[in-house]
mmCIF file of all heavy atoms in Angstrom:
data_model
loop_
_atom_site.group_PDB
_atom_site.id
_atom_site.type_symbol
_atom_site.label_atom_id
_atom_site.label_comp_id
_atom_site.label_asym_id
_atom_site.label_seq_id
_atom_site.Cartn_x
_atom_site.Cartn_y
_atom_site.Cartn_z
ATOM 1 N N LEU A 177 108.577 67.629 131.613
ATOM 2 C CA LEU A 177 107.961 68.827 131.052
ATOM 3 C C LEU A 177 108.204 68.901 129.554
ATOM 4 O O LEU A 177 107.296 69.232 128.776
ATOM 5 C CB LEU A 177 108.525 70.064 131.740
ATOM 6 C CG LEU A 177 107.840 71.391 131.432
ATOM 7 C CD1 LEU A 177 106.453 71.430 132.055
ATOM 8 C CD2 LEU A 177 108.679 72.554 131.942
ATOM 9 N N MET A 178 109.407 68.580 129.125
ATOM 10 C CA MET A 178 109.732 68.597 127.705
ATOM 11 C C MET A 178 108.888 67.568 126.952
ATOM 12 O O MET A 178 108.403 67.820 125.845
ATOM 13 C CB MET A 178 111.218 68.302 127.503
ATOM 14 C CG MET A 178 111.680 68.398 126.059
ATOM 15 S SD MET A 178 111.528 70.063 125.398
ATOM 16 C CE MET A 178 112.858 70.885 126.282
ATOM 17 N N ALA A 179 108.706 66.399 127.594
ATOM 18 C CA ALA A 179 107.899 65.357 126.963
ATOM 19 C C ALA A 179 106.451 65.804 126.789
ATOM 20 O O ALA A 179 105.766 65.406 125.843
ATOM 21 C CB ALA A 179 107.952 64.084 127.801
ATOM 22 N N GLU A 180 105.986 66.670 127.685
ATOM 23 C CA GLU A 180 104.607 67.131 127.639
ATOM 24 C C GLU A 180 104.412 68.309 126.701
ATOM 25 O O GLU A 180 103.424 68.370 125.963
ATOM 26 C CB GLU A 180 104.150 67.525 129.043
ATOM 27 C CG GLU A 180 102.689 67.940 129.132
ATOM 28 C CD GLU A 180 102.256 68.236 130.557
ATOM 29 O OE1 GLU A 180 103.053 68.006 131.489
ATOM 30 O OE2 GLU A 180 101.110 68.702 130.722
ATOM 31 N N PHE A 181 105.359 69.251 126.703
ATOM 32 C CA PHE A 181 105.161 70.499 125.979
ATOM 33 C C PHE A 181 106.108 70.717 124.797
ATOM 34 O O PHE A 181 105.909 71.652 124.027
ATOM 35 C CB PHE A 181 105.311 71.692 126.938
ATOM 36 C CG PHE A 181 104.226 71.780 127.966
ATOM 37 C CD1 PHE A 181 104.458 71.378 129.262
ATOM 38 C CD2 PHE A 181 102.967 72.244 127.630
ATOM 39 C CE1 PHE A 181 103.467 71.461 130.226
ATOM 40 C CE2 PHE A 181 101.960 72.329 128.577
ATOM 41 C CZ PHE A 181 102.207 71.930 129.876
ATOM 42 N N GLY A 182 107.148 69.917 124.665
ATOM 43 C CA GLY A 182 108.136 70.145 123.622
ATOM 44 C C GLY A 182 107.625 69.851 122.226
ATOM 45 O O GLY A 182 106.582 69.200 122.041
ATOM 46 N N THR A 183 108.355 70.337 121.235
ATOM 47 C CA THR A 183 108.036 69.986 119.851
ATOM 48 C C THR A 183 108.360 68.513 119.639
ATOM 49 O O THR A 183 108.994 67.865 120.483
ATOM 50 C CB THR A 183 108.870 70.837 118.884
ATOM 51 O OG1 THR A 183 110.271 70.515 119.069
ATOM 52 C CG2 THR A 183 108.675 72.330 119.139
ATOM 53 N N GLU A 184 107.940 67.974 118.518
ATOM 54 C CA GLU A 184 108.207 66.558 118.245
ATOM 55 C C GLU A 184 109.708 66.290 118.218
ATOM 56 O O GLU A 184 110.180 65.263 118.703
ATOM 57 C CB GLU A 184 107.567 66.143 116.911
ATOM 58 C CG GLU A 184 106.048 66.103 116.943
ATOM 59 C CD GLU A 184 105.515 65.203 118.063
ATOM 60 O OE1 GLU A 184 106.018 64.079 118.214
ATOM 61 O OE2 GLU A 184 104.609 65.642 118.796
ATOM 62 N N GLU A 185 110.462 67.226 117.648
ATOM 63 C CA GLU A 185 111.917 67.079 117.607
ATOM 64 C C GLU A 185 112.498 67.118 119.018
ATOM 65 O O GLU A 185 113.361 66.295 119.372
ATOM 66 C CB GLU A 185 112.527 68.185 116.760
ATOM 67 C CG GLU A 185 114.051 68.077 116.627
ATOM 68 C CD GLU A 185 114.629 69.185 115.767
ATOM 69 O OE1 GLU A 185 113.853 70.004 115.235
ATOM 70 O OE2 GLU A 185 115.876 69.236 115.640
ATOM 71 N N GLU A 186 112.008 68.062 119.849
ATOM 72 C CA GLU A 186 112.486 68.166 121.229
ATOM 73 C C GLU A 186 112.111 66.932 122.037
ATOM 74 O O GLU A 186 112.897 66.456 122.868
ATOM 75 C CB GLU A 186 111.908 69.422 121.881
ATOM 76 C CG GLU A 186 112.503 70.721 121.347
ATOM 77 C CD GLU A 186 111.774 71.940 121.850
ATOM 78 O OE1 GLU A 186 110.593 71.826 122.240
ATOM 79 O OE2 GLU A 186 112.376 73.036 121.845
ATOM 80 N N LYS A 187 110.922 66.393 121.790
ATOM 81 C CA LYS A 187 110.494 65.190 122.494
ATOM 82 C C LYS A 187 111.401 64.012 122.142
ATOM 83 O O LYS A 187 111.787 63.233 123.009
ATOM 84 C CB LYS A 187 109.044 64.860 122.158
ATOM 85 C CG LYS A 187 108.038 65.819 122.759
ATOM 86 C CD LYS A 187 106.622 65.466 122.332
ATOM 87 C CE LYS A 187 105.622 66.440 122.924
ATOM 88 N NZ LYS A 187 104.231 66.138 122.504
ATOM 89 N N MET A 244 110.808 78.745 127.690
ATOM 90 C CA MET A 244 110.026 77.588 128.122
ATOM 91 C C MET A 244 109.585 77.742 129.573
ATOM 92 O O MET A 244 108.455 77.414 129.934
ATOM 93 C CB MET A 244 110.814 76.292 127.956
ATOM 94 C CG MET A 244 109.975 75.048 128.273
ATOM 95 S SD MET A 244 110.831 73.505 127.978
ATOM 96 C CE MET A 244 112.007 73.484 129.324
#
Side-chain angles (χ1 to χ4, degrees):
L177 189 70
M178 184 64 72
E180 184 176 354
F181 293 103
T183 64
E184 291 305 314
E185 182 179 357
E186 289 171 337
K187 289 177 181 179
M244 186 176 72

